[in-house]
Amino acid sequence: MLCERCHERPATVHVTKIINGVQTAYHLCEVCAKEQGDVFPNPFLMGSPFDFNKLLSGLLNMESSSGFAPVTTQVQTRCGTCGMTYNQFTQIGRFGCPDCYDAFSARLESLLRRIQNGLRHTGKVPGSAGERQQVARKLEQLRRELQQAVAQEQFERAAQLRDEIRKLEQGAQ
């Protein structure tokens, strides 16, 4: 299909507008679409104004907007390895090193809870592996509880958890 404006180049941009319930569609080449000016640029083309890091930065700065608790710390948290501050992270949208995750963990927890309703990303589990995955997650949870029970010297609870872990491990084999 050729561009409906210049009739020379192939149409690669397809625009549909709905104004007052009236739908109009037209097909333009990239050059004519840029000249038209009312078409949002493709974020995947080179030189695009879309920046994923700026989008992430906007999410990170949500805590300073209305509806969120104000930041009360005056001292800038700084990564001990690369020296990046949390403010620099919110401006750039990415960490300077892997240790930044630990350095900013307190601030990241509230952000992750807002974005994904929890601290742990669980993802999707394929139907065929669902049961095994559930057993593996249950075992992981029970082992954490066992460690906590032992640390708190709750030995009866620890024995119950140990037995439950053994049953699950035997059933998984």
Side-chain angles (χ1 to χ4, degrees), residues 76-115:
Q76 274 292 323
T77 307
R78 188 176 290 273
C79 175
T81 305
C82 69
M84 178 176 270
T85 65
Y86 186 79
N87 281 348
Q88 289 172 323
F89 164 61
T90 61
Q91 295 300 313
I92 297 170
R94 63 178 177 261
F95 287 130
C97 72
D99 295 331
C100 288
Y101 287 95
D102 293 327
F104 306 126
S105 64
R107 302 284 288 281
L108 292 175
E109 285 182 16
S110 64
L111 172 69
L112 289 172
R113 286 185 199 280
R114 285 195 311 262
I115 292 174

Side-chain angles (χ1 to χ4, degrees), residues 112-169:
L112 289 172
R113 286 185 199 280
R114 285 195 311 262
I115 292 174
Q116 65 185 27
N117 296 326
L119 293 177
R120 185 164 183 224
H121 175 72
T122 55
K124 293 183 180 178
V125 179
S128 60
E131 193 172 316
R132 282 180 295 164
Q133 187 70 24
Q134 286 177 347
V135 170
R137 285 185 183 161
K138 181 71 173 170
L139 279 170
E140 184 180 323
Q141 176 191 350
L142 290 171
R143 287 185 181 123
R144 279 195 307 269
E145 288 179 29
L146 176 62
Q147 287 176 345
Q148 288 176 351
V150 170
Q152 295 172 356
E153 298 181 2
Q154 298 174 345
F155 299 115
E156 288 180 26
R157 174 76 177 133
Q160 291 171 343
L161 291 167
R162 179 202 60 208
D163 295 342
E164 199 172 337
I165 289 170
R166 284 184 183 161
K167 284 180 189 175
L168 279 175
E169 287 174 338

Side-chain angles (χ1 to χ4, degrees), residues 7-120:
H7 303 288
E8 296 173 5
R9 292 175 288 275
T12 57
V13 179
H14 307 282
V15 179
T16 303
K17 289 184 178 181
I18 301 173
I19 301 173
N20 295 329
V22 178
Q23 179 176 330
T24 358
Y26 50 97
H27 312 283
L28 304 171
C29 65
E30 191 174 330
V31 174
C32 291
K34 285 181 183 176
E35 288 173 4
Q36 187 93 4
D38 62 348
V39 178
F40 184 81
N42 185 340
F44 302 106
L45 296 175
M46 297 304 284
S48 167
F50 179 80
D51 185 357
F52 182 76
N53 291 331
K54 287 183 182 176
L55 173 67
L56 181 59
S57 174
L59 289 172
L60 293 171
N61 285 322
M62 282 173 42
E63 63 190 19
S64 62
S65 64
S66 63
F68 292 99
V71 179
T72 56
T73 56
Q74 296 297 322
V75 178
Q76 274 292 323
T77 307
R78 188 176 290 273
C79 175
T81 305
C82 69
M84 178 176 270
T85 65
Y86 186 79
N87 281 348
Q88 289 172 323
F89 164 61
T90 61
Q91 295 300 313
I92 297 170
R94 63 178 177 261
F95 287 130
C97 72
D99 295 331
C100 288
Y101 287 95
D102 293 327
F104 306 126
S105 64
R107 302 284 288 281
L108 292 175
E109 285 182 16
S110 64
L111 172 69
L112 289 172
R113 286 185 199 280
R114 285 195 311 262
I115 292 174
Q116 65 185 27
N117 296 326
L119 293 177
R120 185 164 183 224

